[in-house]
Short mmCIF file of all heavy atoms in Angstrom, two decimals:
data_model
loop_
_atom_site.label_atom_id
_atom_site.label_comp_id
_atom_site.label_asym_id
_atom_site.label_seq_id
_atom_site.Cartn_x
_atom_site.Cartn_y
_atom_site.Cartn_z
N LEU O 54 150.57 129.97 106.58
CA LEU O 54 149.81 131.14 106.09
C LEU O 54 148.74 131.52 107.09
O LEU O 54 148.49 132.75 107.39
CB LEU O 54 149.25 130.91 104.70
CG LEU O 54 150.24 130.78 103.52
CD1 LEU O 54 149.47 130.42 102.22
CD2 LEU O 54 150.98 132.07 103.39
N VAL O 55 148.09 130.52 107.60
CA VAL O 55 147.05 130.82 108.62
C VAL O 55 147.62 131.48 109.87
O VAL O 55 147.11 132.44 110.40
CB VAL O 55 146.27 129.51 109.02
CG1 VAL O 55 145.38 129.73 110.22
CG2 VAL O 55 145.47 128.97 107.86
N ASP O 56 148.81 130.90 110.31
CA ASP O 56 149.44 131.53 111.54
C ASP O 56 149.95 132.86 111.26
O ASP O 56 149.88 133.77 112.15
CB ASP O 56 150.59 130.59 111.95
CG ASP O 56 150.01 129.22 112.59
OD1 ASP O 56 148.99 129.27 113.23
OD2 ASP O 56 150.66 128.26 112.42
N LEU O 57 150.57 133.13 110.13
CA LEU O 57 150.98 134.47 109.79
C LEU O 57 149.84 135.49 109.74
O LEU O 57 149.99 136.59 110.19
CB LEU O 57 151.69 134.50 108.42
CG LEU O 57 153.15 133.87 108.41
CD1 LEU O 57 153.62 133.65 106.96
CD2 LEU O 57 154.09 134.81 109.16
N LEU O 58 148.75 135.04 109.19
CA LEU O 58 147.55 135.90 109.13
C LEU O 58 147.09 136.22 110.58
O LEU O 58 146.68 137.38 110.82
CB LEU O 58 146.41 135.25 108.36
CG LEU O 58 145.16 136.06 108.16
CD1 LEU O 58 145.46 137.28 107.33
CD2 LEU O 58 144.09 135.23 107.48
N ILE O 59 147.02 135.25 111.43
CA ILE O 59 146.65 135.43 112.82
C ILE O 59 147.64 136.42 113.50
O ILE O 59 147.16 137.38 114.23
CB ILE O 59 146.63 134.11 113.55
CG1 ILE O 59 145.40 133.24 113.12
CG2 ILE O 59 146.46 134.36 115.14
CD1 ILE O 59 145.42 131.84 113.72
N CYS O 60 148.92 136.29 113.37
CA CYS O 60 149.88 137.20 113.98
C CYS O 60 149.68 138.57 113.53
O CYS O 60 149.70 139.50 114.29
CB CYS O 60 151.31 136.68 113.64
SG CYS O 60 151.86 135.25 114.51
N TYR O 61 149.47 138.73 112.21
CA TYR O 61 149.34 140.06 111.62
C TYR O 61 148.02 140.79 112.08
O TYR O 61 148.00 141.87 112.61
CB TYR O 61 149.46 140.06 110.15
CG TYR O 61 149.41 141.41 109.54
CD1 TYR O 61 150.59 142.25 109.67
CD2 TYR O 61 148.30 141.94 108.90
CE1 TYR O 61 150.53 143.57 109.12
CE2 TYR O 61 148.31 143.29 108.42
CZ TYR O 61 149.41 144.05 108.44
OH TYR O 61 149.37 145.33 107.97
N VAL O 62 146.91 140.03 111.88
CA VAL O 62 145.61 140.65 112.16
C VAL O 62 145.30 140.82 113.64
O VAL O 62 144.82 141.91 114.07
CB VAL O 62 144.47 139.77 111.52
CG1 VAL O 62 143.10 140.27 111.94
CG2 VAL O 62 144.65 139.77 110.05
N LEU O 63 145.69 139.78 114.42
CA LEU O 63 145.33 139.90 115.89
C LEU O 63 146.41 140.53 116.79
O LEU O 63 146.10 141.07 117.90
CB LEU O 63 145.04 138.48 116.41
CG LEU O 63 143.84 137.74 115.78
CD1 LEU O 63 143.61 136.47 116.47
CD2 LEU O 63 142.57 138.67 115.79
N LEU O 64 147.67 140.50 116.31
CA LEU O 64 148.78 141.00 117.18
C LEU O 64 149.37 142.26 116.71
O LEU O 64 149.63 143.20 117.43
CB LEU O 64 149.79 139.81 117.37
CG LEU O 64 149.39 138.53 117.97
CD1 LEU O 64 150.55 137.60 117.99
CD2 LEU O 64 148.76 138.77 119.35
N GLU O 65 149.67 142.28 115.39
CA GLU O 65 150.44 143.45 114.87
C GLU O 65 149.49 144.61 114.39
O GLU O 65 149.77 145.85 114.63
CB GLU O 65 151.39 143.02 113.74
CG GLU O 65 152.32 144.11 113.30
CD GLU O 65 153.36 143.65 112.38
OE1 GLU O 65 153.54 142.37 112.24
OE2 GLU O 65 154.07 144.47 111.79
N LEU O 66 148.42 144.24 113.67
CA LEU O 66 147.56 145.21 113.15
C LEU O 66 146.93 146.16 114.18
O LEU O 66 146.87 147.40 113.97
CB LEU O 66 146.45 144.60 112.26
CG LEU O 66 145.65 145.48 111.34
CD1 LEU O 66 146.54 146.27 110.42
CD2 LEU O 66 144.60 144.67 110.61
N PRO O 67 146.49 145.67 115.34
CA PRO O 67 145.94 146.63 116.35
C PRO O 67 146.96 147.65 116.84
O PRO O 67 146.61 148.77 117.06
CB PRO O 67 145.59 145.62 117.44
CG PRO O 67 145.34 144.27 116.83
CD PRO O 67 146.29 144.24 115.75
N VAL O 68 148.21 147.19 116.92
CA VAL O 68 149.26 148.18 117.36
C VAL O 68 149.47 149.22 116.30
O VAL O 68 149.63 150.40 116.56
CB VAL O 68 150.61 147.37 117.62
CG1 VAL O 68 151.74 148.42 117.96
CG2 VAL O 68 150.44 146.41 118.80
N LEU O 69 149.51 148.81 115.03
CA LEU O 69 149.70 149.79 113.90
C LEU O 69 148.51 150.73 113.84
O LEU O 69 148.69 151.92 113.64
CB LEU O 69 149.82 149.01 112.58
CG LEU O 69 151.03 148.15 112.42
CD1 LEU O 69 151.00 147.40 111.14
CD2 LEU O 69 152.30 149.12 112.38
N TYR O 70 147.32 150.24 114.07
CA TYR O 70 146.11 151.05 114.06
C TYR O 70 146.17 152.10 115.22
O TYR O 70 145.91 153.32 114.96
CB TYR O 70 144.87 150.24 114.18
CG TYR O 70 143.60 151.09 114.15
CD1 TYR O 70 143.12 151.66 113.05
CD2 TYR O 70 142.95 151.26 115.36
CE1 TYR O 70 141.95 152.47 113.09
CE2 TYR O 70 141.78 152.07 115.46
CZ TYR O 70 141.33 152.62 114.31
OH TYR O 70 140.19 153.44 114.38
N ALA O 71 146.55 151.62 116.38
CA ALA O 71 146.62 152.55 117.50
C ALA O 71 147.65 153.63 117.25
O ALA O 71 147.46 154.80 117.57
CB ALA O 71 146.87 151.81 118.79
N ALA O 72 148.77 153.25 116.70
CA ALA O 72 149.89 154.24 116.37
C ALA O 72 149.39 155.26 115.36
O ALA O 72 149.67 156.44 115.40
CB ALA O 72 151.12 153.45 115.88
N SER O 73 148.60 154.73 114.33
CA SER O 73 148.14 155.67 113.32
C SER O 73 147.18 156.68 113.82
O SER O 73 147.05 157.80 113.28
CB SER O 73 147.50 154.85 112.20
OG SER O 73 146.25 154.26 112.55
N VAL O 74 146.46 156.30 114.85
CA VAL O 74 145.45 157.17 115.52
C VAL O 74 146.14 158.18 116.46
O VAL O 74 145.92 159.39 116.39
CB VAL O 74 144.35 156.40 116.22
CG1 VAL O 74 143.43 157.34 116.99
CG2 VAL O 74 143.58 155.65 115.18
N LEU O 75 147.01 157.61 117.29
CA LEU O 75 147.64 158.52 118.35
C LEU O 75 148.80 159.35 117.75
O LEU O 75 149.04 160.47 118.26
CB LEU O 75 148.14 157.57 119.46
CG LEU O 75 147.13 156.75 120.21
CD1 LEU O 75 147.82 155.87 121.19
CD2 LEU O 75 146.16 157.69 120.92
N LEU O 76 149.51 158.85 116.75
CA LEU O 76 150.58 159.57 116.23
C LEU O 76 150.38 159.75 114.68
O LEU O 76 151.19 159.39 113.83
CB LEU O 76 151.89 158.80 116.38
CG LEU O 76 152.20 158.40 117.91
CD1 LEU O 76 153.36 157.42 117.96
CD2 LEU O 76 152.50 159.64 118.70
N ARG O 77 149.21 160.34 114.34
CA ARG O 77 148.83 160.39 112.90
C ARG O 77 149.81 161.08 112.02
O ARG O 77 150.22 160.53 111.02
CB ARG O 77 147.42 161.09 112.86
CG ARG O 77 146.89 161.12 111.42
CD ARG O 77 145.44 161.55 111.50
NE ARG O 77 145.28 162.87 112.12
CZ ARG O 77 145.34 164.02 111.48
NH1 ARG O 77 145.60 163.99 110.10
NH2 ARG O 77 145.16 165.14 112.07
N ARG O 78 150.31 162.24 112.42
CA ARG O 78 151.17 163.04 111.54
C ARG O 78 152.55 162.25 111.31
O ARG O 78 153.03 162.08 110.22
CB ARG O 78 151.45 164.36 112.11
CG ARG O 78 150.22 165.27 112.08
CD ARG O 78 150.59 166.68 112.65
NE ARG O 78 149.38 167.57 112.56
CZ ARG O 78 149.47 168.81 112.97
NH1 ARG O 78 150.51 169.38 113.48
NH2 ARG O 78 148.34 169.50 112.91
N SER O 79 153.12 161.79 112.38
CA SER O 79 154.36 160.98 112.30
C SER O 79 154.16 159.77 111.57
O SER O 79 155.05 159.28 110.77
CB SER O 79 154.93 160.70 113.71
OG SER O 79 155.14 161.91 114.44
N PHE O 80 153.01 159.05 111.76
CA PHE O 80 152.77 157.85 111.12
C PHE O 80 152.64 158.04 109.58
O PHE O 80 153.22 157.29 108.77
CB PHE O 80 151.40 157.26 111.59
CG PHE O 80 151.17 155.83 111.21
CD1 PHE O 80 151.60 154.74 112.01
CD2 PHE O 80 150.47 155.53 110.03
CE1 PHE O 80 151.34 153.46 111.65
CE2 PHE O 80 150.25 154.23 109.66
CZ PHE O 80 150.74 153.16 110.46
N GLU O 81 151.93 159.09 109.16
CA GLU O 81 151.76 159.36 107.70
C GLU O 81 153.06 159.75 107.05
O GLU O 81 153.33 159.36 105.91
CB GLU O 81 150.69 160.47 107.50
CG GLU O 81 149.31 160.06 107.90
CD GLU O 81 148.32 161.23 107.81
OE1 GLU O 81 148.77 162.36 107.62
OE2 GLU O 81 147.15 161.00 107.94
N ALA O 82 153.93 160.49 107.83
CA ALA O 82 155.18 160.98 107.28
C ALA O 82 156.13 159.79 107.07
O ALA O 82 157.00 159.84 106.20
CB ALA O 82 155.82 161.99 108.19
N ARG O 83 156.00 158.73 107.89
CA ARG O 83 156.94 157.61 107.77
C ARG O 83 156.23 156.33 107.36
O ARG O 83 156.57 155.21 107.80
CB ARG O 83 157.58 157.41 109.18
CG ARG O 83 158.47 158.55 109.62
CD ARG O 83 159.00 158.37 111.03
NE ARG O 83 159.84 159.36 111.45
CZ ARG O 83 159.45 160.52 111.99
NH1 ARG O 83 158.17 160.74 112.16
NH2 ARG O 83 160.36 161.45 112.38
N ALA O 84 155.21 156.48 106.57
CA ALA O 84 154.38 155.25 106.17
C ALA O 84 155.21 154.22 105.52
O ALA O 84 155.01 153.07 105.77
CB ALA O 84 153.23 155.76 105.27
N GLY O 85 156.09 154.63 104.60
CA GLY O 85 156.87 153.57 103.91
C GLY O 85 157.82 152.83 104.80
O GLY O 85 157.83 151.56 104.77
N ALA O 86 158.50 153.54 105.70
CA ALA O 86 159.40 152.88 106.67
C ALA O 86 158.61 152.02 107.65
O ALA O 86 159.08 150.91 108.00
CB ALA O 86 160.22 153.94 107.44
N ILE O 87 157.44 152.47 108.06
CA ILE O 87 156.62 151.65 108.94
C ILE O 87 156.14 150.38 108.24
O ILE O 87 156.10 149.32 108.88
CB ILE O 87 155.41 152.49 109.46
CG1 ILE O 87 155.92 153.61 110.40
CG2 ILE O 87 154.41 151.69 110.15
CD1 ILE O 87 154.86 154.59 110.82
N ALA O 88 155.79 150.48 106.98
CA ALA O 88 155.35 149.24 106.26
C ALA O 88 156.46 148.22 106.21
O ALA O 88 156.22 147.05 106.42
CB ALA O 88 154.89 149.67 104.88
N ILE O 89 157.68 148.69 105.92
CA ILE O 89 158.83 147.72 105.88
C ILE O 89 159.13 147.18 107.28
O ILE O 89 159.38 146.01 107.44
CB ILE O 89 160.07 148.49 105.33
CG1 ILE O 89 159.83 148.91 103.88
CG2 ILE O 89 161.30 147.61 105.42
CD1 ILE O 89 160.97 149.72 103.22
N GLY O 90 159.03 148.06 108.27
CA GLY O 90 159.27 147.62 109.64
C GLY O 90 158.21 146.59 110.13
O GLY O 90 158.59 145.67 110.81
N SER O 91 157.02 146.81 109.72
CA SER O 91 155.98 145.74 110.13
C SER O 91 156.23 144.43 109.59
O SER O 91 156.02 143.43 110.22
CB SER O 91 154.60 146.34 109.67
OG SER O 91 154.43 146.35 108.28
N VAL O 92 156.78 144.45 108.32
CA VAL O 92 157.13 143.06 107.78
C VAL O 92 158.27 142.44 108.50
O VAL O 92 158.31 141.29 108.76
CB VAL O 92 157.46 143.27 106.30
CG1 VAL O 92 158.01 141.92 105.69
CG2 VAL O 92 156.21 143.72 105.54
N LEU O 93 159.29 143.23 108.82
CA LEU O 93 160.47 142.77 109.54
C LEU O 93 160.11 142.25 110.93
O LEU O 93 160.64 141.25 111.45
CB LEU O 93 161.55 143.84 109.60
CG LEU O 93 162.11 144.28 108.26
CD1 LEU O 93 163.19 145.38 108.46
CD2 LEU O 93 162.80 143.03 107.58
N VAL O 94 159.18 143.02 111.61
CA VAL O 94 158.78 142.61 112.98
C VAL O 94 157.90 141.36 112.92
O VAL O 94 157.89 140.61 113.90
CB VAL O 94 157.93 143.79 113.61
CG1 VAL O 94 157.28 143.31 114.89
CG2 VAL O 94 158.90 144.95 113.92
N LEU O 95 157.20 141.10 111.86
CA LEU O 95 156.38 139.94 111.78
C LEU O 95 157.11 138.68 111.94
O LEU O 95 156.58 137.69 112.45
CB LEU O 95 155.62 139.97 110.44
CG LEU O 95 154.44 138.94 110.23
CD1 LEU O 95 153.42 138.98 111.32
CD2 LEU O 95 153.89 139.10 108.85
N ALA O 96 158.34 138.61 111.39
CA ALA O 96 159.15 137.38 111.48
C ALA O 96 159.44 136.90 112.95
O ALA O 96 159.04 135.75 113.30
CB ALA O 96 160.46 137.53 110.74
N PRO O 97 160.01 137.75 113.84
CA PRO O 97 160.24 137.31 115.18
C PRO O 97 158.98 137.19 115.96
O PRO O 97 158.88 136.26 116.83
CB PRO O 97 161.11 138.42 115.76
CG PRO O 97 160.91 139.58 114.86
CD PRO O 97 160.68 139.06 113.54
N LEU O 98 157.93 137.90 115.63
CA LEU O 98 156.61 137.73 116.28
C LEU O 98 156.05 136.35 115.91
O LEU O 98 155.55 135.70 116.83
CB LEU O 98 155.62 138.87 115.76
CG LEU O 98 154.29 138.81 116.37
CD1 LEU O 98 154.34 139.08 117.80
CD2 LEU O 98 153.40 139.92 115.69
N TYR O 99 156.16 135.99 114.70
CA TYR O 99 155.66 134.64 114.27
C TYR O 99 156.45 133.49 114.91
O TYR O 99 155.90 132.54 115.29
CB TYR O 99 155.76 134.56 112.70
CG TYR O 99 155.50 133.22 112.18
CD1 TYR O 99 154.25 132.58 112.20
CD2 TYR O 99 156.57 132.45 111.55
CE1 TYR O 99 154.01 131.30 111.65
CE2 TYR O 99 156.28 131.25 110.99
CZ TYR O 99 155.07 130.61 111.12
OH TYR O 99 154.84 129.43 110.57
N LEU O 100 157.74 133.69 115.02
CA LEU O 100 158.57 132.61 115.61
C LEU O 100 158.29 132.51 117.12
O LEU O 100 158.19 131.34 117.62
CB LEU O 100 160.09 132.99 115.42
CG LEU O 100 160.57 133.10 114.01
CD1 LEU O 100 162.08 133.25 113.98
CD2 LEU O 100 160.15 131.83 113.23
N THR O 101 158.04 133.64 117.81
CA THR O 101 157.73 133.56 119.24
C THR O 101 156.37 132.88 119.42
O THR O 101 156.12 132.06 120.30
CB THR O 101 157.67 134.96 119.79
OG1 THR O 101 158.97 135.55 119.61
CG2 THR O 101 157.35 134.88 121.32
N TYR O 102 155.36 133.27 118.58
CA TYR O 102 154.04 132.69 118.58
C TYR O 102 154.05 131.19 118.30
O TYR O 102 153.46 130.41 119.09
CB TYR O 102 153.25 133.42 117.46
CG TYR O 102 152.01 132.79 116.91
CD1 TYR O 102 150.76 133.12 117.39
CD2 TYR O 102 152.10 131.87 115.90
CE1 TYR O 102 149.64 132.48 116.85
CE2 TYR O 102 151.00 131.27 115.28
CZ TYR O 102 149.73 131.59 115.79
OH TYR O 102 148.62 131.04 115.21
N SER O 103 154.83 130.75 117.33
CA SER O 103 154.94 129.31 117.01
C SER O 103 155.64 128.58 118.10
O SER O 103 155.16 127.45 118.50
CB SER O 103 155.71 129.11 115.68
OG SER O 103 155.05 129.70 114.60
N PHE O 104 156.71 129.15 118.68
CA PHE O 104 157.38 128.46 119.83
C PHE O 104 156.48 128.26 120.94
O PHE O 104 156.34 127.18 121.58
CB PHE O 104 158.60 129.32 120.26
CG PHE O 104 159.08 128.94 121.60
CD1 PHE O 104 159.81 127.82 121.78
CD2 PHE O 104 158.84 129.82 122.71
CE1 PHE O 104 160.29 127.47 123.09
CE2 PHE O 104 159.24 129.47 123.94
CZ PHE O 104 159.97 128.30 124.13
#
Side-chain angles (χ1 to χ4, degrees):
L54 291 177
V55 171
D56 289 326
L57 283 169
L58 185 62
I59 291 174
C60 285
Y61 184 74
V62 173
L63 298 184
L64 300 178
E65 189 169 347
L66 192 58
V68 175
L69 293 174
Y70 176 75
S73 69
V74 173
L75 298 175
L76 306 169
R77 183 166 58 88
R78 291 183 180 178
S79 299
F80 193 90
E81 291 176 353
R83 299 176 175 83
I87 290 174
I89 295 174
S91 68
V92 174
L93 296 177
V94 168
L95 187 58
L98 181 63
Y99 170 69
L100 298 187
T101 304
Y102 158 99
S103 296
F104 162 75

